[in-house]
Amino acid sequence: MRTLNGLRADERFALDLMAAIRADAETVCSPDAVELVSVTIDVTGADVVGEPAFKARVDRKTRTVLFTGGSASCGDTVVMTATAVYRIVSA
């Protein structure tokens, strides 16, 4: 089923998860900027029921690269996970 903006619900969910991860990456690396290098999204297949909650984490940070990720949950059920690599660009 497509939403008003043409995306399927799971596609919108993935974009929201990536937005949460990027916001956390920007906070961790501030005042430097971050540029996305790669991202992997895994969908668990669990039903999305209720309001989603997004949780970001930093796995490792070097001077030039940030390894990060996060998860999206509905209640106690994880419905999607993502890992991402960002290049840190000095301000």
Side-chain angles (χ1 to χ4, degrees):
M1 180 172 146
R2 299 261 174 212
T3 60
L4 293 177
N5 59 8
L7 297 174
R8 291 173 35 109
D10 57 345
E11 294 167 341
R12 180 76 246 165
F13 204 63
L15 290 174
D16 290 344
L17 175 56
M18 284 309 304
I21 292 169
R22 182 177 189 94
D24 187 60
E26 289 173 342
T27 299
V28 168
C29 294
S30 180
D32 296 330
V34 294
E35 293 179 354
L36 184 63
V37 174
S38 71
V39 63
T40 302
I41 297 175
D42 296 305
V43 180
T44 65
D47 289 333
V48 176
V49 179
E51 193 65 28
F54 302 99
K55 182 178 179 184
R57 69 174 192 288
V58 171
D59 296 320
R60 184 171 167 230
K61 180 183 177 201
T62 70
R63 189 177 54 77
T64 58
V65 179
L66 180 70
F67 299 88
T68 186
S71 61
S73 302
C74 288
D76 293 332
T77 305
V78 174
V79 295
M80 189 176 290
T81 61
T83 57
V85 178
Y86 289 94
R87 182 170 73 95
I88 302 170
V89 181
S90 296

